């Protein structure tokens, strides 16, 4: 999607408000020392000031049950497992990686001793049970429920043991255990959907929240009793700055220690003293979602022609400044599940595109725009107005479409304006995960989620895709899973519900005074959680 709530498939929603320099600096001076994160600090020392980072997206909630940071690296919470610098699973709140029974239907985790929540209360297996049961509770507004629809029960036979019983084997289940654990007692007698906890969370993570000013900043102080060891800095301030250009200006003014920026804006910092540009590999793709309910885009010939007409390499070179690669599907080339047959020409094949349209009866009119049965080949392409990268991709797509006689009207809008129109108007979207392909694709392309917000906004339906996605999650056999996802990718390429454009490198500008930065392959969701600062508890400021 885009601006996200950091959940597996999160609504593309950001605020346009941003914090001003005097207010931010005042908050920074108030942050007190103390903390760490899922990977222990290597030094145990406290640096000379809080780390200030800037991002575009802001979460709607800080409650993991309501979709905050389900894949870990959320700074405030820990899951039973976490991911290391290579995105490999490592134990977190679990003493060791959970064990899976021979039939794949029972997963058992043993908790680490002595873990405390930020309020000083001890972590117990009951808290883990409550967290997962809350996600499954139909009265709770959690979009993670479908991620756990294979979970029959979660129980605590004793205070340190948690047993998950599955309805059927689900290969990536242990990966789902990165979800942050919340204290059950914090929700006693409360509606989870409206609990004060959602804005004033209590976790076991390396940082505890001290304040959250919506649209401005999230201020975190180090958790000095963190089980992973005291962090290397006294705290973190996350500034929410939706506008890319404003974020770049404020980074240049020295307000931030690190900020994510679109590639073109980031390159403006190349060679600047005291700052460096970090290009981070990702599984984050951008593409144009083509709604099946649109009278023009509902025609398979138009969708296939647009797929052929796009000059992806020009987008990588021009729009991304080389920070990415052409995309042809939702499974990144680095994944073991990537299907090599699902590729295409990185440059435009306009001859093929025009031949497809000619054969389908879309004939050019006097103005060069094609028409069929009295209807012009024209549609609107929406993009979030504050996202400069998506705007440039929309304009490039528009130009490529015009060359084959398809008129596209790009329109920059707020997310509130975009959301009700996704069933009929095209949209530049982003998703992607370096983890299991089930995590995003099951919801994004499954018929059961058609028209459900950002899950499958174009209402794409395919029995073949549904069966393949289901097979991919039902079996634990690696070969069978690869075959299922190969079928999924081939059918998706044939149906073209999206025109995939590019995979990105996330680009950050980081001050030279910061040490401890360790990039890893990132998913699409990477604002507060899972960004370059996934291991910020190890960062130090040298001056």
């Amino acid at each position: 999607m885009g601006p996200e709530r950091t959940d597996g498939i999160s609504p593309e929603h950001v605020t346009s408000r941003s914090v001003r320099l005097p207010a931010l600096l005042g908050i920074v001076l108030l942050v007190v020392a103390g903390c760490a994160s899922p990977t222990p600090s290597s030094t145990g020392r406290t640096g000379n000031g809080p780390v200030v980072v800037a991002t575009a997206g802001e979460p709607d909630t800080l409650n993991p049950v309501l979709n905050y940071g389900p894949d870990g690296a959320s700074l405030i919470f820990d899951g039973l497992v976490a991911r290391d610098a290579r995105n490999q699973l490592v134990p977190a709140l679990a003493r060791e990686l959970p064990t899976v029974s021979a039939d794949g239907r029972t997963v058992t985790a043993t908790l680490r001793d002595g873990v405390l929540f930020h309020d000083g209360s001890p972590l117990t297996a009951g808290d883990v049970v409550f967290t997962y049961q809350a996600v499954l509770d139909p009265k709770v507004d959690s979009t993670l429920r479908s991620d756990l629809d294979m979970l029959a029960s979660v129980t605590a036979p004793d205070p340190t043991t948690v047993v998950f019983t599955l309805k059927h084997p689900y290969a990536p289940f242990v990966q789902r255990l990165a979800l942050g654990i919340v204290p059950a007692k914090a929700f006693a007698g409360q509606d989870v959907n409206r609990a004060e906890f959602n804005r004033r969370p209590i976790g076991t993570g390396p940082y505890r929240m001290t304040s959250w000013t919506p649209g401005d900043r999230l201020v975190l102080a180090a958790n000095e009793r963190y089980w992973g060891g005291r962090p290397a800095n006294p705290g973190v301030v996350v500034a929410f700055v939706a506008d890319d250009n404003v974020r770049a200006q404020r980074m240049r003014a020295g307000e931030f220690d690190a900020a994510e920026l679109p590639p073109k804006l980031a390159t403006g910092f190349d060679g600047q003293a005291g700052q460096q540009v970090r290009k981070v590999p990702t599984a984050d793709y951008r593409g144009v979602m083509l709604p099946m309910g649109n009278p023009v885009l509902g025609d398979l010939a138009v969708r296939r022609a647009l797929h052929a007409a796009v000059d992806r390499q020009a987008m990588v070179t021009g729009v991304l400044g080389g920070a990415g690669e052409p995309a042809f599907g939702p499974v990144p080339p680095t994944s073991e599940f990537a299907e090599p047959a699902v590729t295409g020409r990185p440059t435009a094949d306009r001859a093929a595109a025009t031949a497809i349209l000619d054969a389908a009866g879309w004939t050019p009119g006097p103005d060069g725009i094609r028409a069929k049965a009295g209807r012009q080949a024209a549609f609107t392409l929406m993009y979030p107005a504050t996202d400069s990268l998506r705007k440039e991709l929309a304009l490039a797509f528009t130009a490529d479409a015009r060359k084959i006689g398809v008129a596209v009207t790009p329109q920059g809008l707020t997310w509130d304006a975009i959301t009700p129109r996704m069933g009929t108007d095209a949209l530049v979207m982003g998703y992607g995960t370096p983890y299991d392909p089930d995590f995003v694709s099951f919801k994004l392309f499954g018929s059961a989620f058609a028209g459900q917000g950002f899950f499958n906004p174009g209402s794409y339906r395919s029995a073949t895709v549904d069966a393949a996605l289901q097979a991919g999650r039902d079996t634990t056999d690696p070969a069978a899973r690869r075959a299922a996802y190969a079928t999924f990718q081939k059918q998706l390429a044939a149906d073209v519900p999206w025109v995939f454009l590019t995979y990105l490198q996330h680009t950050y500008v980081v001050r030279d005074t910061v040490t401890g930065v360790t990039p890893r392959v990132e998913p699409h969701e990477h604002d507060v959680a899972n960004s370059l600062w996934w291991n910020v508890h190890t960062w130090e400021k040298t001056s």
Side-chain angles (χ1 to χ4, degrees), residues 303-477:
R303 301 198 303 273
R304 287 180 172 173
L306 291 169
H307 168 81
V310 170
D311 192 336
R312 294 168 176 82
Q313 188 57 55
M315 292 179 180
V316 171
T317 302
V319 177
L320 303 185
E325 61 183 311
F328 298 97
V331 181
T334 53
S335 170
E336 64 175 301
F337 297 102
E339 170 51 50
V342 180
T343 58
R345 285 179 47 166
T347 56
D349 189 347
R350 282 191 281 276
T354 56
I356 292 170
L357 292 173
D358 289 343
W362 290 92
T363 58
D367 58 356
I369 304 303
R370 293 174 179 268
K372 179 179 179 180
R375 183 185 299 277
Q376 277 199 320
F379 61 92
T380 297
L381 174 58
M382 304 182 293
Y383 62 87
T386 59
D387 190 323
S388 61
L389 176 61
R390 295 198 205 195
K391 177 180 179 180
E392 290 193 55
L393 289 172
L395 295 177
F397 180 90
T398 297
D400 288 342
R402 183 64 179 82
K403 292 172 184 176
I404 63 168
V406 177
V408 178
T409 302
Q411 196 169 37
L413 301 167
T414 65
W415 286 106
D416 287 343
I418 287 171
T419 302
R421 294 172 50 179
M422 293 188 298
T424 53
D425 291 324
L427 173 63
V428 181
M429 296 184 70
Y431 274 115
T433 176
Y435 317 135
D436 199 273
D438 176 79
F439 280 19
V440 170
S441 291
F442 185 75
K443 290 181 175 180
L444 191 55
F445 300 107
S447 298
F449 300 95
Q452 293 187 24
F454 286 92
F455 285 167
N456 181 351
S459 294
Y460 168 66
R461 292 178 173 86
S462 165
T464 300
V465 162
D466 291 345
L469 290 174
Q470 192 65 46
R473 59 176 9 209
D474 285 349
T475 180
T476 58
D477 178 68

Side-chain angles (χ1 to χ4, degrees), residues 133-154:
Q133 286 183 341
V135 172
L136 296 176
D137 186 345
K139 296 191 296 293
V140 175
D141 298 331
S142 176
T143 57
L144 301 179
R145 189 170 305 112
S146 58
D147 292 341
L148 298 173
D149 62 1
M150 77 300 295
L151 185 56
S153 67
V154 53

